[in-house]
Amino acid sequence: MLLLCRTFLITIVLIATSASSLWAGAWMQQRHDIAEIEASLGFAGRFKVGVWSPIRVTITAGSQPLQGEIHIAAFDSDGVPVEHRWPHDEAAQIAAGESQTFVLPVKIGRTSSRIEVILESEVDGVASRSVWQAAVGDLGQPVLASQQLWLQAGELIGIQDILNQQRVQPDESSQLAQIDPSQLPDDWRMLEGVDRFLIVSGDAETWRKLSADKLAALDWWAKLGGQILLAVGADTEQLLSADAPLAHFLPGKYVGFEEERQTAELEKYAGKVTRLDRPGAPTLEIATLQDASGIALVQRAAANPTPLISVAPYGFGLIEFVAFDLNSQPIAGWDGRKPLLIKLLIGESEQQDYGIVSLAGQSAAHVGYEDLSGQLRVALDQFQGVHLISFLLIGVIVVGYLLLIGPGDYFLLKRYFPRMEWTWVTFPLFVLLACCASWGIAFWAKGHELRMNQVDVLDCDLASRVVRSTTWAHIYSPQTQRLNIQLHNQAPAQASDWKQILAWQGLPGKSLGGMDSRQSLATVQNPYYLADADDSVSLENLPIQIWSSRSLFGRGWATLDGEAPKPLTEISNQLLNGVIRNPTEIDLEDVYVFYGRWAWHFPKFPAGGVLSLSGKAGKNSDKVLRKTRVSDARDVSELWDRENTDIDRIMEVALFHESAGGRGYTNLIQRYQGFIDLSQHSQTQRAVLVGKSAEPVTQLQMTAVGSEEPLAPKTEHWTYVRLIYPVEPE
């Protein structure tokens, strides 16, 4: 009987598994001879919501060859369907009985929604369309915008145990996806949701076989704000030596391996007194670098110093370098390995801030967001000339209307008219009067002009010659309409070959309108389109309801022409010596230069102008960002107001969130668009200048669908420019 029961249960499990696999997707409409279709989202079954991720679609042709264009349809954060349309070179051409895999970028706006794979073709003027649909949860595990997604190539023993022991809330934990380097996409946009890439003793042969497009995608992702942890291993020679695929990520030139016997600094960094050179353990071998850059967290104590652990800037990204093998002896058997990994991977500040965030949870839920991007979103949704109608005013209108059609109508007829039958005339007049009054109040409150609030951030890394732009735009429409919108850069003339992407902007969290919300989807049925042409993504047929707004987010990137400037010089106590020039054509005002723990203020910095830092005293950067003042002989910082809608104040802290104290100061995280924070760059031999501009650096060109006449919304804009200058020791 036990054997029969066991067999029965196994059969049920197999049937259930087969059924779930079978119903992972279904045809909604099939007009092509497709034998099979498979799809997966993200990396190793994990994808991040609210950002660009890869979708892998494998199509097997039936008895007839297939030819057509592949589109991906999903829902944005507002629950409106959006179709991703890619260039014609992504068209499918599959021979009969053969299979072909396509990797395309897609942006998922809801953790609980569906996705469609669409194949369109036209033969002899006859259009055919096949639609395959599946739930996003069946194609991959959603990673929340408040969480971090880490990729790992190679093996790092014990990393999952480290992540499981994070002292953070479940919706802020880091998720790990183990991948093979060959699974990297050939477009950096599909890596946008990756917060960190761990490369540990990877397969050197696989890395060497990667195409130039995949290596270029990884390179651009890192330069535009990605973070790479690069640890040496058995295949270091093949990966990091000259002309190797990962050599350019090194913060220096790889020389070779040497034995290191003085490990006291490494033991101190890990917080352990147990020595590495214990009896029976082999000597620690380290990879030595020549002309190392960045900051050495642990440095070799020798006549020829080389970093054991270091952090170096790479464009707007960071490279964390570990010069020894974390998986082999003597590190593998050392009791300091675990605390060392915790410090490398998680850091002390994140663990210490857990209690502060827990206390702030109720307040974050009250304001409807828990990420700093949510506060910026609320602030951008405040339009000049557009007023919210209070519930008190609505109550007054309702009570007044009831009094008017009830006792008001009765006493009017009783006193001034001989017959009560006249109510058949007065009652409709009162109803019409109330409707006109309500419409007039609404028209006064909501306005009749197309409006837009826009925030631009232009970042220029003068050493690597990389420039990027970031745009947040909220559009308010006084009528129901559909718009075509394109993003154009008007940044410095020295930058060439601009590329840009424009899409919707999401709200992290479970509150109303959040990407993790379980509320019903929008009633808009006809999709709008994300159209990709010439490496630029624009919006087509975007719907906006009457008296409502849409939140958009755009990114641009290019390469600066010319040569890198002469580095500034760091003298004693992290003070700077030298002059900085404004290489842009933008006049800046209210300028601050951040380096280390210091900040210097300048009222103006004209285009082509020069500022001298020599002999100039600075202020503490955290005091500047917190607006600290002296009161009763002690420093008092301005408290952060989570309901504040002052965009200048929000951006001041968002651009240097960690320098201001991070979540310990704002009680908000900055995970959704954390790449905008350049706090760590001011700590890694880079001076970061930030100033305000009176003119935007990007322009949104929009037209109404069916019209070629450009629309000119009434726009309020805020523009911030950051210039990163290299610094070298005296």
Side-chain angles (χ1 to χ4, degrees):
M1 289 295 295
L2 289 175
L3 289 174
L4 287 174
C5 291
R6 181 174 178 270
T7 305
F8 177 75
L9 289 174
I10 292 175
T11 305
I12 293 297
V13 170
L14 290 175
I15 293 174
T17 305
S18 301
S20 63
S21 177
L22 178 65
W23 292 103
W27 287 105
M28 306 302 294
Q29 179 179 336
Q30 188 171 8
R31 297 290 184 269
H32 297 86
D33 186 10
I34 300 176
E36 186 181 8
I37 184 170
E38 296 179 354
S40 62
L41 273 169
F43 302 94
R46 286 181 170 87
F47 70 95
K48 199 167 186 179
V49 296
V51 294
W52 292 98
S53 301
I55 180 171
R56 292 172 173 82
V57 181
T58 301
I59 299 177
T60 303
S63 58
Q64 300 293 327
L66 285 177
Q67 184 173 356
E69 296 181 4
I70 297 177
H71 306 308
I72 308 297
F75 287 93
D76 66 11
S77 61
D78 295 322
V80 179
V82 51
E83 190 172 309
H84 304 71
R85 292 187 168 181
W86 307 119
H88 293 286
D89 56 5
E90 298 289 351
Q93 295 183 358
I94 310 173
E98 299 293 327
S99 299
Q100 189 172 350
T101 299
F102 304 88
V103 182
L104 302 171
V106 66
K107 197 172 182 180
I108 306 296
R110 290 293 186 88
T111 55
S112 55
S113 62
R114 61 184 184 273
I115 191 170
E116 294 178 349
V117 178
I118 302 169
L119 180 64
E120 292 183 340
S121 64
E122 184 174 344
V123 179
D124 298 331
V126 179
S128 299
R129 178 183 174 94
S130 297
V131 180
W132 182 85
Q133 186 183 95
V136 294
D138 292 335
L139 304 185
Q141 177 186 338
V143 177
L144 306 182
S146 56
Q147 295 177 313
Q148 287 193 336
L149 175 60
W150 294 1
L151 298 187
Q152 178 176 298
E155 182 183 9
L156 182 57
I157 299 172
I159 182 175
Q160 193 59 57
D161 293 336
I162 299 294
L163 296 181
N164 293 339
Q165 295 177 17
Q166 283 182 281
R167 294 169 50 197
V168 296
Q169 298 176 358
D171 59 354
E172 295 179 17
S173 61
S174 300
Q175 302 295 310
L176 183 68
Q178 179 77 40
I179 68 166
D180 187 271
S182 61
Q183 297 173 337
L184 288 173
D186 57 5
D187 187 338
W188 81 265
R189 285 177 295 175
M190 291 184 267
L191 289 166
E192 187 183 28
V194 177
D195 298 281
R196 208 174 192 180
F197 192 12
L198 314 180
I199 304 176
V200 187
S201 299
D203 185 356
E205 189 63 27
T206 304
W207 280 104
R208 286 186 174 276
K209 291 181 179 179
L210 285 187
S211 65
D213 290 340
K214 292 187 175 184
L215 290 173
L218 181 62
D219 184 67
W220 268 111
W221 168 78
K223 286 180 178 178
L224 293 176
Q227 189 171 345
I228 294 178
L229 173 66
L230 186 58
V232 304
D235 52 1
T236 296
E237 297 283 349
Q238 294 80 17
L239 286 175
L240 304 181
S241 58
D243 300 326
L246 301 180
H248 60 285
F249 290 120
L250 271 179
K253 181 181 179 181
Y254 171 72
V255 178
F257 273 94
E258 294 183 11
E259 291 186 348
E260 176 59 38
R261 299 183 181 277
Q262 300 180 18
T263 58
E265 289 297 320
L266 181 59
E267 294 155 6
K268 181 180 177 181
Y269 179 79
K272 284 290 179 180
V273 295
T274 307
R275 296 182 60 86
L276 268 170
D277 56 349
R278 58 195 181 277
T283 305
L284 180 67
E285 291 191 346
I286 62 171
T288 57
L289 299 182
Q290 186 179 1
D291 301 326
S293 61
I295 298 297
L297 303 179
V298 181
Q299 185 164 291
R300 185 182 190 186
N304 182 24
T306 186
L308 272 66
I309 301 175
S310 65
V311 178
Y314 189 78
F316 302 107
L318 293 171
I319 304 295
E320 301 167 292
F321 176 65
V322 180
F324 48 88
D325 194 338
L326 292 166
N327 294 323
S328 63
Q329 298 291 348
I331 298 295
W334 180 42
D335 63 353
R337 182 180 184 274
K338 184 175 180 180
L340 175 64
L341 288 179
I342 291 176
K343 200 164 185 178
L344 281 174
L345 300 174
I346 301 176
E348 297 175 345
S349 60
E350 183 174 332
Q351 299 286 69
Q352 294 171 354
D353 289 339
Y354 173 70
I356 298 175
V357 176
S358 298
L359 293 174
Q362 294 180 351
S363 299
H366 171 70
V367 296
Y369 47 81
E370 51 198 21
D371 193 283
L372 195 57
S373 64
Q375 186 166 0
L376 177 61
R377 179 187 175 109
V378 171
L380 284 172
D381 236 13
Q382 312 299 314
F383 297 91
Q384 285 191 1
V386 179
H387 310 281
L388 292 176
I389 299 178
S390 65
F391 285 106
L392 177 61
L393 179 57
I394 294 175
V396 170
I397 293 174
V398 171
V399 172
Y401 174 68
L402 294 176
L403 292 175
L404 189 63
I405 64 174
D409 186 35
Y410 173 79
F411 287 112
L412 178 67
L413 294 176
K414 189 74 173 176
R415 183 167 183 177
Y416 296 104
F417 291 91
R419 295 185 178 182
M420 301 297 291
E421 290 83 356
W422 280 93
T423 187
W424 292 103
V425 176
T426 57
F427 180 82
L429 289 176
F430 287 151
V431 173
L432 182 61
L433 177 63
C435 291
C436 292
S438 300
W439 176 259
I441 293 173
F443 192 77
W444 164 81
K446 301 301 182 181
H448 59 279
E449 292 181 301
L450 184 68
R451 295 179 178 270
M452 182 171 67
N453 290 334
Q454 178 179 338
V455 172
D456 285 337
V457 177
L458 178 68
D459 293 322
C460 301
D461 181 22
L462 302 180
S464 65
R465 315 305 293 168
V466 176
V467 58
R468 71 180 185 186
S469 66
T470 310
T471 301
W472 295 264
H474 281 224
I475 301 173
Y476 170 81
S477 176
Q479 61 183 354
T480 299
Q481 58 182 331
R482 285 182 175 261
L483 303 176
N484 296 328
I485 307 176
Q486 291 182 334
L487 178 66
H488 294 278
N489 281 279
Q490 300 174 323
Q494 294 89 344
S496 59
D497 194 25
W498 271 103
K499 299 179 179 63
Q500 54 274 326
I501 51 178
L502 180 66
W504 48 266
Q505 160 87 344
L507 174 65
K510 298 180 180 179
S511 59
L512 184 65
M515 292 183 288
D516 311 332
S517 173
R518 297 286 180 175
Q519 68 188 34
S520 59
L521 302 180
T523 57
V524 178
Q525 298 298 324
N526 295 327
Y528 65 99
Y529 307 103
L530 287 171
D532 192 339
D534 299 327
D535 294 323
S536 298
V537 179
S538 59
L539 294 171
E540 296 180 359
N541 218 29
L542 175 70
I544 302 184
Q545 303 297 320
I546 184 172
W547 296 338
S548 66
S549 63
R550 292 303 301 258
S551 178
L552 307 180
F553 179 69
R555 299 184 68 177
W557 64 98
T559 302
L560 282 171
D561 299 329
E563 298 180 354
K566 181 181 179 181
L568 298 169
T569 303
E570 178 188 343
I571 55 180
S572 61
N573 200 25
Q574 289 190 326
L575 297 177
L576 292 178
N577 187 24
V579 297
I580 54 178
R581 300 181 182 275
N582 185 352
T584 71
E585 300 176 356
I586 305 173
D587 294 326
L588 301 177
E589 57 186 24
D590 194 17
V591 173
Y592 280 91
V593 178
F594 291 94
Y595 181 74
R597 63 177 183 274
W598 300 112
W600 295 265
H601 180 255
F602 300 91
K604 294 184 180 297
F605 193 22
V610 177
L611 296 177
S612 176
L613 294 170
S614 302
K616 186 174 179 63
K619 299 180 180 180
N620 287 92
S621 58
D622 60 337
K623 293 182 178 181
V624 170
L625 293 169
R626 296 187 185 192
K627 295 190 178 299
T628 303
R629 55 184 175 82
V630 179
S631 177
D632 297 330
R634 63 189 183 92
D635 292 337
V636 178
S637 298
E638 180 182 282
L639 295 178
W640 183 259
D641 183 5
R642 290 182 293 274
E643 299 184 26
N644 182 23
T645 57
D646 182 358
I647 290 179
D648 273 327
R649 180 61 183 144
I650 294 172
M651 292 304 298
E652 280 177 1
V653 174
L655 296 178
F656 299 95
H657 189 234
E658 290 301 319
S659 294
R663 63 208 305 181
Y665 175 58
T666 62
N667 282 340
L668 295 171
I669 60 175
Q670 192 176 26
R671 290 279 183 82
Y672 184 37
Q673 291 155 351
F675 65 86
I676 202 68
D677 184 3
L678 292 183
S679 298
Q680 288 185 279
H681 282 261
S682 64
Q683 307 293 333
T684 54
Q685 293 185 334
R686 297 289 179 98
V688 183
L689 179 146
V690 59
K692 302 175 185 177
S693 171
E695 299 296 329
V697 294
T698 64
Q699 181 184 13
L700 269 69
Q701 295 182 355
M702 59 185 72
T703 59
V705 173
S707 172
E708 296 183 357
E709 187 70 23
L711 299 175
K714 194 170 184 179
T715 304
E716 293 286 330
H717 55 77
W718 297 260
T719 303
Y720 307 88
V721 177
R722 291 186 294 188
L723 307 175
I724 304 179
Y725 298 86
V727 178
E728 62 182 13
E730 187 176 23

